[in-house]
mmCIF file of all heavy atoms in Angstrom:
data_model
loop_
_atom_site.group_PDB
_atom_site.id
_atom_site.type_symbol
_atom_site.label_atom_id
_atom_site.label_comp_id
_atom_site.label_asym_id
_atom_site.label_seq_id
_atom_site.Cartn_x
_atom_site.Cartn_y
_atom_site.Cartn_z
ATOM 1 N N GLU A 12 0.830 -1.205 0.000
ATOM 2 C CA GLU A 12 0.000 0.000 0.000
ATOM 3 C C GLU A 12 0.864 1.254 0.000
ATOM 4 O O GLU A 12 0.579 2.215 -0.719
ATOM 5 C CB GLU A 12 -0.926 0.007 1.207
ATOM 6 C CG GLU A 12 -2.011 -1.033 1.151
ATOM 7 C CD GLU A 12 -2.846 -1.096 2.409
ATOM 8 O OE1 GLU A 12 -2.653 -0.247 3.319
ATOM 9 O OE2 GLU A 12 -3.698 -1.989 2.494
ATOM 10 N N LEU A 13 1.913 1.245 0.801
ATOM 11 C CA LEU A 13 2.810 2.407 0.853
ATOM 12 C C LEU A 13 3.524 2.619 -0.479
ATOM 13 O O LEU A 13 3.678 3.758 -0.926
ATOM 14 C CB LEU A 13 3.827 2.241 1.984
ATOM 15 C CG LEU A 13 3.296 2.513 3.378
ATOM 16 C CD1 LEU A 13 4.281 2.047 4.427
ATOM 17 C CD2 LEU A 13 2.994 3.989 3.544
ATOM 18 N N SER A 14 3.928 1.549 -1.123
ATOM 19 C CA SER A 14 4.608 1.704 -2.407
ATOM 20 C C SER A 14 3.646 2.242 -3.465
ATOM 21 O O SER A 14 4.027 3.081 -4.282
ATOM 22 C CB SER A 14 5.238 0.391 -2.859
ATOM 23 O OG SER A 14 4.246 -0.546 -3.202
ATOM 24 N N LYS A 15 2.383 1.801 -3.441
ATOM 25 C CA LYS A 15 1.390 2.331 -4.384
ATOM 26 C C LYS A 15 1.149 3.815 -4.136
ATOM 27 O O LYS A 15 1.022 4.600 -5.078
ATOM 28 C CB LYS A 15 0.081 1.562 -4.275
ATOM 29 C CG LYS A 15 0.155 0.203 -4.901
ATOM 30 C CD LYS A 15 -1.155 -0.531 -4.781
ATOM 31 C CE LYS A 15 -0.991 -1.940 -5.322
ATOM 32 N NZ LYS A 15 -2.211 -2.720 -5.208
ATOM 33 N N ALA A 16 1.087 4.215 -2.878
ATOM 34 C CA ALA A 16 0.869 5.624 -2.552
ATOM 35 C C ALA A 16 2.050 6.473 -3.005
ATOM 36 O O ALA A 16 1.855 7.554 -3.571
ATOM 37 C CB ALA A 16 0.647 5.782 -1.051
ATOM 38 N N ARG A 17 3.245 5.989 -2.795
ATOM 39 C CA ARG A 17 4.428 6.763 -3.216
ATOM 40 C C ARG A 17 4.529 6.832 -4.738
ATOM 41 O O ARG A 17 4.924 7.860 -5.292
ATOM 42 C CB ARG A 17 5.679 6.155 -2.605
ATOM 43 C CG ARG A 17 5.729 6.403 -1.111
ATOM 44 C CD ARG A 17 7.053 6.015 -0.490
ATOM 45 N NE ARG A 17 7.043 6.341 0.927
ATOM 46 C CZ ARG A 17 6.997 5.443 1.895
ATOM 47 N NH1 ARG A 17 6.962 4.159 1.610
ATOM 48 N NH2 ARG A 17 6.976 5.817 3.156
ATOM 49 N N GLU A 18 4.157 5.751 -5.430
ATOM 50 C CA GLU A 18 4.139 5.783 -6.894
ATOM 51 C C GLU A 18 3.084 6.763 -7.395
ATOM 52 O O GLU A 18 3.310 7.473 -8.376
ATOM 53 C CB GLU A 18 3.865 4.390 -7.456
ATOM 54 C CG GLU A 18 5.021 3.439 -7.319
ATOM 55 C CD GLU A 18 4.679 2.029 -7.775
ATOM 56 O OE1 GLU A 18 3.636 1.844 -8.445
ATOM 57 O OE2 GLU A 18 5.455 1.116 -7.451
ATOM 58 N N TYR A 19 1.943 6.811 -6.719
ATOM 59 C CA TYR A 19 0.896 7.757 -7.100
ATOM 60 C C TYR A 19 1.405 9.190 -6.963
ATOM 61 O O TYR A 19 1.174 10.024 -7.838
ATOM 62 C CB TYR A 19 -0.355 7.557 -6.254
ATOM 63 C CG TYR A 19 -1.424 8.589 -6.531
ATOM 64 C CD1 TYR A 19 -2.162 8.540 -7.705
ATOM 65 C CD2 TYR A 19 -1.668 9.621 -5.639
ATOM 66 C CE1 TYR A 19 -3.128 9.493 -7.975
ATOM 67 C CE2 TYR A 19 -2.625 10.575 -5.889
ATOM 68 C CZ TYR A 19 -3.354 10.506 -7.062
ATOM 69 O OH TYR A 19 -4.305 11.460 -7.334
ATOM 70 N N LEU A 20 2.099 9.478 -5.879
ATOM 71 C CA LEU A 20 2.638 10.823 -5.689
ATOM 72 C C LEU A 20 3.717 11.137 -6.718
ATOM 73 O O LEU A 20 3.839 12.281 -7.162
ATOM 74 C CB LEU A 20 3.198 10.983 -4.277
ATOM 75 C CG LEU A 20 2.171 11.028 -3.150
ATOM 76 C CD1 LEU A 20 2.883 11.085 -1.807
ATOM 77 C CD2 LEU A 20 1.240 12.199 -3.307
ATOM 78 N N ALA A 21 4.487 10.137 -7.112
ATOM 79 C CA ALA A 21 5.581 10.373 -8.043
ATOM 80 C C ALA A 21 5.101 10.559 -9.482
ATOM 81 O O ALA A 21 5.500 11.509 -10.159
ATOM 82 C CB ALA A 21 6.582 9.220 -7.982
ATOM 83 N N ASP A 22 4.235 9.653 -9.940
ATOM 84 C CA ASP A 22 3.879 9.719 -11.354
ATOM 85 C C ASP A 22 2.391 9.595 -11.658
ATOM 86 O O ASP A 22 2.000 9.551 -12.811
ATOM 87 C CB ASP A 22 4.650 8.660 -12.142
ATOM 88 C CG ASP A 22 4.369 7.244 -11.683
ATOM 89 O OD1 ASP A 22 3.437 7.034 -10.916
ATOM 90 O OD2 ASP A 22 5.122 6.342 -12.104
ATOM 91 N N GLY A 23 1.554 9.533 -10.640
ATOM 92 C CA GLY A 23 0.112 9.486 -10.859
ATOM 93 C C GLY A 23 -0.455 8.110 -11.138
ATOM 94 O O GLY A 23 -1.651 7.973 -11.372
ATOM 95 N N SER A 24 0.377 7.077 -11.120
ATOM 96 C CA SER A 24 -0.142 5.730 -11.353
ATOM 97 C C SER A 24 -0.938 5.262 -10.136
ATOM 98 O O SER A 24 -0.808 5.808 -9.043
ATOM 99 C CB SER A 24 1.000 4.761 -11.647
ATOM 100 O OG SER A 24 1.887 4.700 -10.556
ATOM 101 N N HIS A 25 -1.778 4.268 -10.322
ATOM 102 C CA HIS A 25 -2.631 3.685 -9.273
ATOM 103 C C HIS A 25 -3.718 4.657 -8.799
ATOM 104 O O HIS A 25 -4.236 4.518 -7.700
ATOM 105 C CB HIS A 25 -1.821 3.220 -8.055
ATOM 106 C CG HIS A 25 -0.718 2.279 -8.371
ATOM 107 N ND1 HIS A 25 -0.936 1.023 -8.880
ATOM 108 C CD2 HIS A 25 0.625 2.418 -8.276
ATOM 109 C CE1 HIS A 25 0.222 0.422 -9.060
ATOM 110 N NE2 HIS A 25 1.188 1.244 -8.708
ATOM 111 N N SER A 26 -4.096 5.624 -9.620
ATOM 112 C CA SER A 26 -5.107 6.591 -9.182
ATOM 113 C C SER A 26 -6.479 5.955 -9.011
ATOM 114 O O SER A 26 -7.306 6.459 -8.271
ATOM 115 C CB SER A 26 -5.192 7.758 -10.166
ATOM 116 O OG SER A 26 -5.650 7.307 -11.427
ATOM 117 N N SER A 27 -6.733 4.834 -9.669
ATOM 118 C CA SER A 27 -8.026 4.182 -9.528
ATOM 119 C C SER A 27 -7.958 2.960 -8.617
ATOM 120 O O SER A 27 -8.889 2.154 -8.593
ATOM 121 C CB SER A 27 -8.552 3.765 -10.907
ATOM 122 O OG SER A 27 -7.663 2.858 -11.513
ATOM 123 N N TRP A 28 -6.896 2.809 -7.858
ATOM 124 C CA TRP A 28 -6.749 1.683 -6.941
ATOM 125 C C TRP A 28 -7.825 1.762 -5.870
ATOM 126 O O TRP A 28 -8.140 2.836 -5.339
ATOM 127 C CB TRP A 28 -5.352 1.707 -6.329
ATOM 128 C CG TRP A 28 -5.096 0.635 -5.332
ATOM 129 C CD1 TRP A 28 -5.204 -0.708 -5.525
ATOM 130 C CD2 TRP A 28 -4.688 0.805 -3.972
ATOM 131 N NE1 TRP A 28 -4.880 -1.374 -4.365
ATOM 132 C CE2 TRP A 28 -4.562 -0.474 -3.402
ATOM 133 C CE3 TRP A 28 -4.419 1.918 -3.193
ATOM 134 C CZ2 TRP A 28 -4.181 -0.669 -2.094
ATOM 135 C CZ3 TRP A 28 -4.035 1.726 -1.887
ATOM 136 C CH2 TRP A 28 -3.922 0.439 -1.347
ATOM 137 N N HIS A 29 -8.421 0.639 -5.509
ATOM 138 C CA HIS A 29 -9.541 0.620 -4.566
ATOM 139 C C HIS A 29 -9.165 1.117 -3.173
ATOM 140 O O HIS A 29 -10.020 1.566 -2.415
ATOM 141 C CB HIS A 29 -10.158 -0.762 -4.467
ATOM 142 C CG HIS A 29 -9.269 -1.803 -3.835
ATOM 143 N ND1 HIS A 29 -8.674 -1.656 -2.621
ATOM 144 C CD2 HIS A 29 -8.850 -3.000 -4.266
ATOM 145 C CE1 HIS A 29 -7.947 -2.706 -2.319
ATOM 146 N NE2 HIS A 29 -8.024 -3.544 -3.321
ATOM 147 N N GLY A 30 -7.903 1.069 -2.797
ATOM 148 C CA GLY A 30 -7.474 1.550 -1.487
ATOM 149 C C GLY A 30 -7.577 3.053 -1.336
ATOM 150 O O GLY A 30 -7.658 3.570 -0.221
ATOM 151 N N PHE A 31 -7.619 3.765 -2.453
ATOM 152 C CA PHE A 31 -7.755 5.218 -2.420
ATOM 153 C C PHE A 31 -9.217 5.653 -2.549
ATOM 154 O O PHE A 31 -9.505 6.838 -2.585
ATOM 155 C CB PHE A 31 -6.974 5.869 -3.550
ATOM 156 C CG PHE A 31 -5.486 5.675 -3.474
ATOM 157 C CD1 PHE A 31 -4.737 5.597 -4.627
ATOM 158 C CD2 PHE A 31 -4.826 5.572 -2.270
ATOM 159 C CE1 PHE A 31 -3.368 5.424 -4.577
ATOM 160 C CE2 PHE A 31 -3.461 5.395 -2.205
ATOM 161 C CZ PHE A 31 -2.727 5.331 -3.363
ATOM 162 N N ARG A 32 -10.128 4.711 -2.623
ATOM 163 C CA ARG A 32 -11.544 5.009 -2.853
ATOM 164 C C ARG A 32 -12.119 5.806 -1.680
ATOM 165 O O ARG A 32 -11.799 5.565 -0.521
ATOM 166 C CB ARG A 32 -12.286 3.693 -3.027
ATOM 167 C CG ARG A 32 -13.715 3.820 -3.460
ATOM 168 C CD ARG A 32 -14.354 2.478 -3.701
ATOM 169 N NE ARG A 32 -14.142 1.594 -2.552
ATOM 170 C CZ ARG A 32 -13.775 0.323 -2.653
ATOM 171 N NH1 ARG A 32 -13.576 -0.215 -3.824
ATOM 172 N NH2 ARG A 32 -13.602 -0.412 -1.576
ATOM 173 N N GLN A 33 -13.024 6.740 -1.988
ATOM 174 C CA GLN A 33 -13.675 7.540 -0.960
ATOM 175 C C GLN A 33 -14.613 6.658 -0.152
ATOM 176 O O GLN A 33 -15.142 5.678 -0.641
ATOM 177 C CB GLN A 33 -14.476 8.689 -1.593
ATOM 178 C CG GLN A 33 -13.613 9.755 -2.216
ATOM 179 C CD GLN A 33 -13.146 9.406 -3.614
ATOM 180 O OE1 GLN A 33 -13.553 8.415 -4.188
ATOM 181 N NE2 GLN A 33 -12.290 10.234 -4.161
ATOM 182 N N PHE A 34 -14.838 7.041 1.094
ATOM 183 C CA PHE A 34 -15.661 6.239 1.987
ATOM 184 C C PHE A 34 -17.136 6.260 1.614
ATOM 185 O O PHE A 34 -17.804 5.247 1.665
ATOM 186 C CB PHE A 34 -15.510 6.711 3.438
ATOM 187 C CG PHE A 34 -14.193 6.358 4.032
ATOM 188 C CD1 PHE A 34 -13.329 7.344 4.455
ATOM 189 C CD2 PHE A 34 -13.812 5.036 4.179
ATOM 190 C CE1 PHE A 34 -12.106 7.025 5.014
ATOM 191 C CE2 PHE A 34 -12.592 4.703 4.728
ATOM 192 C CZ PHE A 34 -11.737 5.702 5.150
ATOM 193 N N PHE A 35 -17.665 7.408 1.268
ATOM 194 C CA PHE A 35 -19.098 7.514 1.076
ATOM 195 C C PHE A 35 -19.466 7.746 -0.392
ATOM 196 O O PHE A 35 -19.951 6.857 -1.047
ATOM 197 C CB PHE A 35 -19.674 8.625 1.959
ATOM 198 C CG PHE A 35 -19.391 8.379 3.414
ATOM 199 C CD1 PHE A 35 -18.465 9.140 4.092
ATOM 200 C CD2 PHE A 35 -20.024 7.359 4.098
ATOM 201 C CE1 PHE A 35 -18.186 8.906 5.427
ATOM 202 C CE2 PHE A 35 -19.759 7.106 5.435
ATOM 203 C CZ PHE A 35 -18.830 7.888 6.097
ATOM 204 N N VAL A 36 -19.243 8.934 -0.880
ATOM 205 C CA VAL A 36 -19.625 9.276 -2.250
ATOM 206 C C VAL A 36 -18.387 9.773 -2.981
ATOM 207 O O VAL A 36 -17.712 10.687 -2.519
ATOM 208 C CB VAL A 36 -20.714 10.380 -2.244
ATOM 209 C CG1 VAL A 36 -21.085 10.766 -3.657
ATOM 210 C CG2 VAL A 36 -21.923 9.931 -1.463
ATOM 211 N N PRO A 37 -18.084 9.173 -4.138
ATOM 212 C CA PRO A 37 -16.911 9.643 -4.879
ATOM 213 C C PRO A 37 -17.125 11.052 -5.426
ATOM 214 O O PRO A 37 -18.234 11.424 -5.798
ATOM 215 C CB PRO A 37 -16.759 8.624 -6.007
ATOM 216 C CG PRO A 37 -18.082 7.971 -6.129
ATOM 217 C CD PRO A 37 -18.733 8.059 -4.788
ATOM 218 N N LYS A 38 -16.073 11.826 -5.444
ATOM 219 C CA LYS A 38 -16.149 13.168 -6.009
ATOM 220 C C LYS A 38 -16.166 13.039 -7.527
ATOM 221 O O LYS A 38 -15.369 12.305 -8.105
ATOM 222 C CB LYS A 38 -14.968 14.005 -5.557
ATOM 223 C CG LYS A 38 -14.985 14.319 -4.089
ATOM 224 C CD LYS A 38 -13.850 15.236 -3.722
ATOM 225 C CE LYS A 38 -13.932 15.568 -2.250
ATOM 226 N NZ LYS A 38 -12.898 16.525 -1.874
ATOM 227 N N MET A 39 -17.083 13.766 -8.144
ATOM 228 C CA MET A 39 -17.267 13.668 -9.581
ATOM 229 C C MET A 39 -17.063 15.038 -10.232
ATOM 230 O O MET A 39 -17.377 16.058 -9.633
ATOM 231 C CB MET A 39 -18.673 13.159 -9.913
ATOM 232 C CG MET A 39 -19.043 11.852 -9.247
ATOM 233 S SD MET A 39 -18.199 10.454 -9.930
ATOM 234 C CE MET A 39 -19.195 10.138 -11.346
ATOM 235 N N ARG A 40 -16.550 15.016 -11.440
ATOM 236 C CA ARG A 40 -16.462 16.222 -12.243
ATOM 237 C C ARG A 40 -16.704 15.813 -13.691
ATOM 238 O O ARG A 40 -16.007 14.947 -14.221
ATOM 239 C CB ARG A 40 -15.103 16.897 -12.112
ATOM 240 C CG ARG A 40 -15.036 18.186 -12.945
ATOM 241 C CD ARG A 40 -13.736 18.916 -12.794
ATOM 242 N NE ARG A 40 -13.626 19.429 -11.424
ATOM 243 C CZ ARG A 40 -12.475 19.621 -10.804
ATOM 244 N NH1 ARG A 40 -11.351 19.342 -11.409
ATOM 245 N NH2 ARG A 40 -12.439 20.071 -9.578
ATOM 246 N N HIS A 41 -17.698 16.413 -14.298
ATOM 247 C CA HIS A 41 -18.073 16.117 -15.681
ATOM 248 C C HIS A 41 -18.358 14.635 -15.881
ATOM 249 O O HIS A 41 -17.990 14.046 -16.888
ATOM 250 C CB HIS A 41 -16.995 16.583 -16.661
ATOM 251 C CG HIS A 41 -16.636 18.027 -16.521
ATOM 252 N ND1 HIS A 41 -17.537 19.056 -16.743
ATOM 253 C CD2 HIS A 41 -15.475 18.624 -16.147
ATOM 254 C CE1 HIS A 41 -16.937 20.218 -16.533
ATOM 255 N NE2 HIS A 41 -15.685 19.986 -16.163
ATOM 256 N N GLY A 42 -18.982 14.025 -14.887
ATOM 257 C CA GLY A 42 -19.370 12.622 -14.979
ATOM 258 C C GLY A 42 -18.256 11.622 -14.735
ATOM 259 O O GLY A 42 -18.465 10.418 -14.818
ATOM 260 N N LYS A 43 -17.066 12.079 -14.416
ATOM 261 C CA LYS A 43 -15.941 11.182 -14.148
ATOM 262 C C LYS A 43 -15.522 11.309 -12.686
ATOM 263 O O LYS A 43 -15.529 12.398 -12.127
ATOM 264 C CB LYS A 43 -14.750 11.534 -15.042
ATOM 265 C CG LYS A 43 -14.985 11.241 -16.517
ATOM 266 C CD LYS A 43 -13.851 11.740 -17.388
ATOM 267 C CE LYS A 43 -12.540 11.122 -16.996
ATOM 268 N NZ LYS A 43 -11.418 11.536 -17.860
ATOM 269 N N ALA A 44 -15.165 10.173 -12.091
ATOM 270 C CA ALA A 44 -14.690 10.189 -10.710
ATOM 271 C C ALA A 44 -13.299 10.815 -10.661
ATOM 272 O O ALA A 44 -12.440 10.505 -11.482
ATOM 273 C CB ALA A 44 -14.648 8.774 -10.149
ATOM 274 N N LEU A 45 -13.096 11.699 -9.707
ATOM 275 C CA LEU A 45 -11.799 12.363 -9.553
ATOM 276 C C LEU A 45 -10.827 11.458 -8.808
ATOM 277 O O LEU A 45 -11.222 10.706 -7.913
ATOM 278 C CB LEU A 45 -11.964 13.665 -8.772
ATOM 279 C CG LEU A 45 -12.718 14.782 -9.470
ATOM 280 C CD1 LEU A 45 -12.903 15.950 -8.519
ATOM 281 C CD2 LEU A 45 -11.981 15.243 -10.710
ATOM 282 N N PRO A 46 -9.546 11.528 -9.139
ATOM 283 C CA PRO A 46 -8.552 10.761 -8.371
ATOM 284 C C PRO A 46 -8.390 11.386 -6.989
ATOM 285 O O PRO A 46 -8.804 12.523 -6.754
ATOM 286 C CB PRO A 46 -7.273 10.912 -9.203
ATOM 287 C CG PRO A 46 -7.463 12.172 -9.972
ATOM 288 C CD PRO A 46 -8.943 12.278 -10.225
ATOM 289 N N PRO A 47 -7.788 10.662 -6.059
ATOM 290 C CA PRO A 47 -7.605 11.221 -4.717
ATOM 291 C C PRO A 47 -6.676 12.431 -4.751
ATOM 292 O O PRO A 47 -5.789 12.538 -5.598
ATOM 293 C CB PRO A 47 -6.976 10.067 -3.936
ATOM 294 C CG PRO A 47 -6.383 9.184 -4.965
ATOM 295 C CD PRO A 47 -7.217 9.327 -6.188
ATOM 296 N N HIS A 48 -6.902 13.332 -3.826
ATOM 297 C CA HIS A 48 -6.070 14.534 -3.747
ATOM 298 C C HIS A 48 -4.686 14.149 -3.232
ATOM 299 O O HIS A 48 -4.549 13.370 -2.291
ATOM 300 C CB HIS A 48 -6.732 15.550 -2.812
ATOM 301 C CG HIS A 48 -6.217 16.930 -2.990
ATOM 302 N ND1 HIS A 48 -5.045 17.350 -2.418
ATOM 303 C CD2 HIS A 48 -6.699 17.969 -3.703
ATOM 304 C CE1 HIS A 48 -4.825 18.611 -2.753
ATOM 305 N NE2 HIS A 48 -5.824 19.017 -3.534
ATOM 306 N N ARG A 49 -3.679 14.716 -3.836
ATOM 307 C CA ARG A 49 -2.296 14.376 -3.469
ATOM 308 C C ARG A 49 -1.983 14.731 -2.016
ATOM 309 O O ARG A 49 -1.239 14.025 -1.350
ATOM 310 C CB ARG A 49 -1.312 15.057 -4.399
ATOM 311 C CG ARG A 49 -1.373 14.495 -5.804
ATOM 312 C CD ARG A 49 -0.333 15.159 -6.698
ATOM 313 N NE ARG A 49 -0.431 14.671 -8.049
ATOM 314 C CZ ARG A 49 0.160 13.567 -8.484
ATOM 315 N NH1 ARG A 49 0.872 12.852 -7.665
ATOM 316 N NH2 ARG A 49 0.030 13.188 -9.740
ATOM 317 N N LYS A 50 -2.540 15.821 -1.518
ATOM 318 C CA LYS A 50 -2.294 16.206 -0.122
ATOM 319 C C LYS A 50 -2.903 15.192 0.839
ATOM 320 O O LYS A 50 -2.353 14.931 1.901
ATOM 321 C CB LYS A 50 -2.866 17.604 0.171
ATOM 322 C CG LYS A 50 -2.127 18.707 -0.526
ATOM 323 C CD LYS A 50 -0.745 18.858 0.052
ATOM 324 C CE LYS A 50 -0.034 20.016 -0.603
ATOM 325 N NZ LYS A 50 1.306 20.195 -0.085
ATOM 326 N N TRP A 51 -4.060 14.608 0.467
ATOM 327 C CA TRP A 51 -4.675 13.589 1.311
ATOM 328 C C TRP A 51 -3.780 12.357 1.375
ATOM 329 O O TRP A 51 -3.572 11.784 2.443
ATOM 330 C CB TRP A 51 -6.064 13.207 0.779
ATOM 331 C CG TRP A 51 -6.723 12.166 1.613
ATOM 332 C CD1 TRP A 51 -7.388 12.351 2.785
ATOM 333 C CD2 TRP A 51 -6.754 10.758 1.365
ATOM 334 N NE1 TRP A 51 -7.842 11.151 3.275
ATOM 335 C CE2 TRP A 51 -7.457 10.155 2.412
ATOM 336 C CE3 TRP A 51 -6.262 9.952 0.351
ATOM 337 C CZ2 TRP A 51 -7.684 8.794 2.483
ATOM 338 C CZ3 TRP A 51 -6.485 8.588 0.411
ATOM 339 C CH2 TRP A 51 -7.185 8.019 1.468
ATOM 340 N N ILE A 52 -3.230 11.967 0.224
ATOM 341 C CA ILE A 52 -2.328 10.817 0.188
ATOM 342 C C ILE A 52 -1.108 11.103 1.053
ATOM 343 O O ILE A 52 -0.696 10.280 1.865
ATOM 344 C CB ILE A 52 -1.887 10.499 -1.256
ATOM 345 C CG1 ILE A 52 -3.081 10.133 -2.126
ATOM 346 C CG2 ILE A 52 -0.828 9.420 -1.284
ATOM 347 C CD1 ILE A 52 -3.745 8.843 -1.774
ATOM 348 N N GLU A 53 -0.556 12.300 0.892
ATOM 349 C CA GLU A 53 0.681 12.677 1.584
ATOM 350 C C GLU A 53 0.490 12.872 3.083
ATOM 351 O O GLU A 53 1.329 12.445 3.882
ATOM 352 C CB GLU A 53 1.202 13.972 0.953
ATOM 353 C CG GLU A 53 2.519 14.444 1.453
ATOM 354 C CD GLU A 53 2.950 15.712 0.754
ATOM 355 O OE1 GLU A 53 2.704 15.836 -0.468
ATOM 356 O OE2 GLU A 53 3.513 16.582 1.433
ATOM 357 N N ASN A 54 -0.622 13.493 3.487
ATOM 358 C CA ASN A 54 -0.805 13.879 4.885
ATOM 359 C C ASN A 54 -1.684 12.942 5.708
ATOM 360 O O ASN A 54 -1.653 13.006 6.937
ATOM 361 C CB ASN A 54 -1.387 15.288 4.965
ATOM 362 C CG ASN A 54 -0.442 16.313 4.400
ATOM 363 O OD1 ASN A 54 0.774 16.187 4.517
ATOM 364 N ND2 ASN A 54 -0.988 17.332 3.761
ATOM 365 N N VAL A 55 -2.463 12.089 5.055
ATOM 366 C CA VAL A 55 -3.370 11.211 5.794
ATOM 367 C C VAL A 55 -3.067 9.742 5.521
ATOM 368 O O VAL A 55 -2.821 8.964 6.439
ATOM 369 C CB VAL A 55 -4.851 11.525 5.450
ATOM 370 C CG1 VAL A 55 -5.787 10.570 6.157
ATOM 371 C CG2 VAL A 55 -5.186 12.963 5.791
ATOM 372 N N PHE A 56 -3.090 9.355 4.251
ATOM 373 C CA PHE A 56 -2.963 7.946 3.902
ATOM 374 C C PHE A 56 -1.593 7.380 4.281
ATOM 375 O O PHE A 56 -1.502 6.371 4.977
ATOM 376 C CB PHE A 56 -3.221 7.752 2.404
ATOM 377 C CG PHE A 56 -3.264 6.320 1.979
ATOM 378 C CD1 PHE A 56 -4.419 5.578 2.138
ATOM 379 C CD2 PHE A 56 -2.147 5.702 1.432
ATOM 380 C CE1 PHE A 56 -4.471 4.251 1.758
ATOM 381 C CE2 PHE A 56 -2.185 4.383 1.052
ATOM 382 C CZ PHE A 56 -3.347 3.656 1.218
ATOM 383 N N ILE A 57 -0.535 8.021 3.837
ATOM 384 C CA ILE A 57 0.816 7.509 4.098
ATOM 385 C C ILE A 57 1.142 7.480 5.592
ATOM 386 O O ILE A 57 1.606 6.453 6.098
ATOM 387 C CB ILE A 57 1.877 8.281 3.283
ATOM 388 C CG1 ILE A 57 1.721 7.925 1.796
ATOM 389 C CG2 ILE A 57 3.285 7.966 3.767
ATOM 390 C CD1 ILE A 57 2.669 8.655 0.873
#
């Protein structure tokens, strides 16, 4: 999980990985689910 998070921060890969999924309702823009915010990955997930 930590390696996926660090790869996401480095190059944006694994943005649709289920471990980054929102708890309740995914954030949407123009009908597409948004990837997780980088600050959330950096300050909360890791």
Side-chain angles (χ1 to χ4, degrees):
E12 291 175 5
L13 283 168
S14 69
K15 285 180 185 179
R17 289 189 177 109
E18 287 175 14
Y19 175 74
L20 289 176
D22 60 12
S24 61
H25 306 295
S26 65
S27 61
W28 178 57
H29 67 53
F31 296 148
R32 188 176 51 225
Q33 290 82 7
F34 288 118
F35 301 108
V36 178
K38 292 184 178 184
M39 305 288 278
R40 181 177 293 152
H41 305 297
K43 292 174 59 177
L45 292 175
H48 198 279
R49 291 182 183 275
K50 291 291 183 180
W51 180 81
I52 298 292
E53 185 179 322
N54 296 326
V55 177
F56 186 82
I57 290 178

